[in-house]
Amino acid sequence: MRISVIGCGYLGAVHAACMAKLGHEVVGIDIDERRILELSASRAPFYEPGLDELLKDVQETGRLSFSTDVSAAAGSTVHFICVGTPQKKGENGADLRHVDAAMEALLPNVRPSDLVVGKSTVPVGTASRLADLLSEYQPDAHLVWNPEFLREGHAVEDTLSPDRLVYGVEEGSEDHAAVTILDEVYSAPLANGTPRLVTDHPTAELVKAAANSFLATKISFINAMAEVCEASGADVTRLADAIGMDDRIGRKFLNAGIGFGGGCLPKDIRAFMARAGELGADQALTFLREVDSINMRRRTRVVELTRELCGGSLLGQHITVLGAAFKPESDDVRDSPALSIAAQLQLQGAVVTVTDPKALQNAEKRFPELQYEPDLDTAMAGADTLLLLTEWQQYKDLDPFEVSERVNGLRMLDGRNVLDAAKWRASGWQYRGLGRP
Ligand code: UDX
């Protein structure tokens, strides 16, 4: 099948490559020339495990091309909209400018019976509005909302073998012509047993908002428990292990630490609250405000704990922050708690060095005032205190004996609770976790 993918960021670039991998003929379209040049040369414009290899692999088959010209979408049967929906400046709501611009540019290239398939995360009601727009231009074309649930760092496997596929079609009818076409697009994962749900437009849009809100709530729940553990001398990691053994609760997404960040969870829960307010259902989501505050409080807590570890003052303390990305296996620093903590410490007088295996270039653009060092050993040399804020494997593997020879002070704040506290303490370190005695 011929497919166009509009928007080649974290979502669209992976989607385009994966659709070509599934055997389709795909054109990826983006207005960013540099991004398109990189992708055309089989280089991912961001770090995502396996994506470079996949791009190379599918481009050799001739099934994947890239363009900055939206008219390259003409002739495709399915047009995926994969552009970003960032938070509006100074407001909680989602900024839909890119979605609207993509739709407007795409419309002249849509033929009767084509599908326009939205994958971006949008406020409920957007799909119906776009469907009306589409039917004005091309009454026989269909608009589907097909939310994407991929996680950065696992984006390729999540796209090729998703947990589920959700098709939001008009009226939510299983017999809708669009269902047959999308089933053909996803025939490989469907044949492998991926469940597929057909819903109406608003339900499909809400599935995504609800899923991300649930995940954010789960993380803030355990971080709230971490606060209580800190006040009572209990250990949140053992608490999470114990409650996670109940199947109804589950251990995943119960890792207490510095909280969630990234380009999705924080802005998605805020946009969801804003949209609920517009719909007159704001009371239903007031708990998300608490989820957001618990999350932001973790950052302040880490700054305070670091000050305690440093003997009461941050002034002139040499602090090395291990990790800048919002999570490991990603170079994404959007709303990264690690970077926001590093910047706070620096503002309060500490001399901060940040290291990360992949995210330093992006970090430098966002916080140019911080000092960055790509080499881990050099970054740690002479540090008074170490903060592990993104749980990259190489940081989890650090040997406290070896590290003690490089640093100036034996103080470790483990912001992700991933180190063996007993081992670090036995090596003479003052170890602090979050929500742990
Ligand atoms: C998320 C959703 O998981 C994905 O389904 C959706 O499509 C996009 O948003 P992503 O932003 O890639 O994906 O990251 P995710 O793995 O969900 O982690 C989000 C944040 O939560 C990270 O900062 C991570 O460090 C943090 N986290 C996660 C915790 O603090 N504790 C946990 O137990 C799990």
Side-chain angles (χ1 to χ4, degrees), residues 226-351:
E227 289 186 19
V228 181
C229 287
E230 276 158 21
S232 59
D235 184 339
V236 75
T237 62
R238 304 302 287 155
L239 176 110
D241 291 343
I243 63 172
M245 283 170 189
D246 183 331
D247 271 353
R248 294 168 302 173
I249 297 174
R251 181 63 178 82
K252 288 182 185 162
F253 269 69
L254 279 186
N255 294 321
I258 63 172
F260 58 82
C264 295
L265 298 192
K267 65 118 176 137
D268 287 352
I269 60 168
R270 291 174 195 152
F272 196 21
M273 282 185 270
R275 185 63 184 137
E278 287 167 5
L279 295 168
D282 44 342
Q283 267 196 322
L285 298 188
T286 45
F287 75 95
L288 285 179
R289 205 173 304 154
E290 201 49 44
V291 166
D292 206 353
S293 344
I294 294 167
N295 192 50
M296 299 316 275
R297 262 201 318 266
R298 298 318 288 164
R299 303 178 185 191
T300 324
R301 175 73 185 139
V302 172
V303 174
E304 286 319 312
L305 263 182
T306 312
R307 195 194 315 279
E308 265 177 44
L309 256 184
C310 294
S313 169
L314 290 167
L315 280 179
Q317 290 288 322
H318 287 257
I319 295 174
T320 297
V321 168
L322 308 178
F326 84 104
K327 68 182 216 180
E329 296 304 328
S330 169
D331 65 357
D332 195 348
V333 298
R334 287 177 294 172
D335 207 351
S336 163
L339 263 190
S340 126
I341 291 165
Q344 263 306 315
L345 291 169
Q346 168 116 335
L347 273 177
Q348 297 193 27
V351 182

Side-chain angles (χ1 to χ4, degrees), residues 25 38 47 107 168 178 188 213 229 233-234 273 341 377 382 384 408 430:
E25 198 179 310
E38 293 270 302
Y47 175 67
L107 282 173
S213 299
C229 287
M273 282 185 270
I341 291 165
D377 286 345
D384 296 316
N408 186 42
Q430 220 181 319

Side-chain angles (χ1 to χ4, degrees), residues 121 148-154 158 164 208 211-212 215 219 222-223 251-266 268 295 326-328 335 337 391 416:
T121 302
E148 180 55 59
F149 304 99
L150 66 80
R151 298 159 300 166
E152 286 177 29
H154 303 268
D158 283 353
R164 74 294 210 189
K208 176 64 192 241
N212 275 357
L215 294 173
I219 300 168
I222 202 64
N223 281 330
R251 181 63 178 82
K252 288 182 185 162
F253 269 69
L254 279 186
N255 294 321
I258 63 172
F260 58 82
C264 295
L265 298 192
D268 287 352
N295 192 50
F326 84 104
K327 68 182 216 180
D335 207 351
E391 67 278 34
R416 298 290 185 168

Side-chain angles (χ1 to χ4, degrees), residues 171-201:
E171 320 266 303
S173 156
E174 291 263 351
D175 304 327
H176 199 288
V179 173
T180 318
I181 302 176
L182 266 192
D183 276 354
E184 202 180 322
V185 171
Y186 293 121
S187 59
L190 288 171
N192 288 332
T194 300
R196 172 269 257 167
L197 276 96
V198 179
T199 71
D200 51 30
H201 283 153

Side-chain angles (χ1 to χ4, degrees), residues 104-172:
E104 200 179 312
L106 180 64
L107 282 173
N109 302 293
V110 179
R111 301 167 305 180
S113 77
D114 280 1
L115 291 194
V116 176
V117 184
K119 291 199 83 67
S120 311
T121 302
V122 291
V124 59
T126 307
S128 299
R129 178 170 65 79
L130 297 180
D132 289 346
L133 199 65
L134 178 63
S135 69
E136 269 175 40
Y137 275 82
Q138 198 53 270
D140 295 325
H142 301 291
L143 189 120
V144 183
W145 216 261
N146 172 221
E148 180 55 59
F149 304 99
L150 66 80
R151 298 159 300 166
E152 286 177 29
H154 303 268
V156 172
E157 58 188 275
D158 283 353
T159 308
L160 292 174
S161 319
D163 288 339
R164 74 294 210 189
L165 289 160
V166 176
Y167 305 169
V169 298
E170 266 160 64
E171 320 266 303

